[in-house]
Amino acid sequence: MRILSGIKPTGTLHLGNYFGMMRQCIDMQKKGETYLFIADYHALTQPSDPGVLKQNVFQVAVDFIACGLDTEKTVFFKQTDVPEVTELTWILSCLTPVSLLERCHSYKDKIAKNVTPNNGLFTYPVLMASDILIYKSNVVPVGKDQKQHLEVTRDIAQFFNNKYGDLLILPKEMIQEDLAIVTGLDGRKMSKSYDNTIEIFGDKKKIRKKFMKIVTDSTPVEESKNPDTCNVFALYKLFANDSEVETMRERYRAGGMGYGHAKQELFELCWEYFRPMRDKRAELLKNPGTVHEILNRGARVARNTARTTMDEVKHAAGLS
Ligand code: ADP
Ligand code: TRP
């Protein structure tokens, strides 16, 4: 079974990205042969500065490896290192009805936000289908927002198979339904667009300061507090084990503990949690060549697989 997923290089990673997405990608390595790539072609569908994009791609690679990606097991690579994927995109584009793409929520959402769409944004799902189909992937772990893109991928694969013979595999999405939304400093979903994030890596003082900014109510120190409506407690649960969570819950209820204190403890826990990953990251940053070597190695394997599929596809379509 081949598992594949792609991540967009979106800049500094925060706790929401880690618990919502990275951990799932890292866990999936145990379940089968895994391909994971950085979707840098997809990043171009949004306004992007070349220097920033390059930096973000490197950043996301370093952070993933630091957070536990086993690059011996997982084929980890950059989308642009396999140009065959754009070749397949063209062939699939010629089988994809415009009306199918017009129905995509991600596209309609952007239009609703008054984004002037470029053709890349419109055909985003065809490139994504190509990413998946070129590696004959069976399972694709994604967030709920990507479910429709997987449906489109299966439709496109079926159009291809109907016309040219059963060559492409129809993939299944893997969506973790119980995946909790990580809340940000203000209690809304943690997101760069709300400016309420806590970064995974960075300067200790700056990160501590972020924790101190978590919004709480104004219950006085001595009074009993409700852990279940508290933004600090919500984050505490991500890091603490069951017995630590229970103890903290009782301390909230008992009164006598200020929010400042709870924030400090949360910060300490988070800082310790990411310590081994921070150390690994510092090592990698000292040797950026290692990161490039890992991506190049991944690209060689991925490209081999992609070329085999492209040969079959071109032959089937009368292009060889
Ligand atoms: P942002 O909202 O900060 O721009 P992205 O949209 O780049 O984050 O998210 C990248 C990945 O991280 C997606 O798979 C998304 O589902 C996951 N993710 C982002 N924020 C959260 C969050 N607060 N809780 C859970 N998962 C999240
Ligand atoms: N569209 C995905 C996202 O926004 C990223 C992505 C691109 C992807 N190609 C993919 C995910 C292929 C899974 C498989 O998160």
Side-chain angles (χ1 to χ4, degrees):
M1 180 177 76
R2 182 167 293 155
I3 307 171
L4 167 133
S5 199
I7 30 164
K8 277 188 298 187
T10 49
T12 315
L13 294 164
H14 53 72
L15 298 181
N17 299 140
Y18 179 77
F19 288 103
M21 181 259 296
M22 294 171 81
R23 240 188 11 180
Q24 196 190 356
C25 288
I26 289 164
D27 285 348
M28 78 188 181
Q29 305 179 116
K30 297 177 202 132
K31 297 185 180 140
E33 186 194 20
T34 307
Y35 278 46
L36 182 67
F37 67 91
I38 304 171
D40 47 356
Y41 274 136
H42 274 114
L44 289 184
T45 59
Q46 288 169 334
S48 61
D49 170 87
V52 174
L53 177 58
K54 198 169 178 168
Q55 183 58 34
N56 284 350
V57 168
F58 180 72
Q59 199 73 40
V60 100
V62 170
D63 290 355
F64 259 88
I65 301 169
C67 285
L69 196 73
D70 181 346
T71 54
E72 294 294 321
K73 264 196 191 160
T74 294
V75 180
F76 186 42
F77 61 102
K78 284 197 319 232
Q79 188 183 30
T80 46
D81 282 339
V82 187
E84 285 77 5
V85 84
T86 58
E87 241 185 309
L88 181 59
T89 301
W90 178 255
I91 297 174
L92 299 180
S93 287
C94 297
L95 295 166
T96 308
V98 166
S99 57
L100 182 65
L101 301 177
E102 279 172 341
R103 284 201 295 273
C104 287
H105 305 305
S106 61
Y107 176 71
K108 289 202 284 191
D109 288 352
K110 293 264 167 43
I111 303 283
K113 285 183 191 150
N114 285 326
V115 172
T116 310
N118 56 50
N119 189 44
L121 188 69
F122 184 61
T123 56
Y124 184 113
V126 189
L127 177 58
M128 181 159 165
S130 182
D131 286 328
I132 297 169
L133 301 173
I134 206 164
Y135 304 110
K136 304 221 171 142
S137 318
N138 305 98
V139 178
V140 184
V142 281
K144 278 181 205 155
D145 59 325
Q146 299 295 316
K147 188 174 164 45
Q148 192 184 26
H149 287 160
L150 262 294
E151 288 160 8
V152 168
T153 300
R154 281 191 293 271
D155 285 346
I156 294 177
Q158 195 63 67
F159 295 143
F160 182 95
N161 287 351
N162 288 348
K163 186 166 167 109
Y164 297 120
D166 270 342
L167 207 154
L168 300 178
I169 290 180
L170 272 57
K172 286 199 180 70
E173 65 269 27
M174 185 169 95
I175 295 175
Q176 218 175 313
E177 289 296 341
D178 60 347
L179 203 76
I181 295 288
V182 177
T183 50
L185 299 177
D186 54 2
R188 289 187 292 172
K189 176 189 175 217
M190 188 178 286
S191 170
K192 281 189 289 294
S193 37
Y194 296 146
D195 197 17
N196 65 356
T197 57
I198 299 176
E199 284 64 46
I200 306 175
F201 298 116
D203 177 69
K204 188 170 184 179
K205 267 195 195 145
K206 278 195 193 145
I207 294 187
R208 180 189 281 121
K209 231 176 167 174
K210 280 277 183 93
F211 276 95
M212 292 304 155
K213 277 199 215 155
I214 301 172
V215 176
T216 55
D217 61 25
S218 50
T219 316
V221 174
E222 59 284 2
E223 276 182 31
S224 164
K225 299 172 184 63
N226 183 355
D228 297 317
T229 55
C230 178
N231 296 327
V232 181
F233 190 73
L235 291 174
Y236 189 85
K237 285 194 288 192
L238 296 172
F239 298 101
N241 61 35
D242 290 353
S243 90
E244 286 168 329
V245 169
E246 269 328 292
T247 310
M248 187 53 104
R249 193 185 283 284
E250 277 156 28
R251 287 170 68 195
Y252 263 78
R253 295 223 171 94
M257 180 186 65
Y259 286 122
H261 199 86
K263 288 177 186 178
Q264 179 62 31
E265 283 194 29
L266 168 61
F267 165 72
E268 300 287 349
L269 212 54
C270 168
W271 192 253
E272 278 313 306
Y273 185 94
F274 288 113
R275 178 183 296 282
M277 306 172 202
R278 218 165 28 243
D279 292 348
K280 176 98 197 262
R281 186 168 179 273
E283 272 308 301
L284 290 166
L285 290 177
K286 272 193 241 155
N287 303 297
T290 320
V291 179
H292 294 299
E293 178 43 41
I294 289 170
L295 291 174
N296 288 340
R297 200 172 64 214
R300 283 196 290 274
V301 177
R303 206 164 178 199
N304 250 335
T305 311
R307 279 190 173 138
T308 307
T309 307
M310 272 321 288
D311 285 346
E312 293 167 355
V313 163
K314 280 180 154 176
H315 182 75
L319 295 168
S320 56

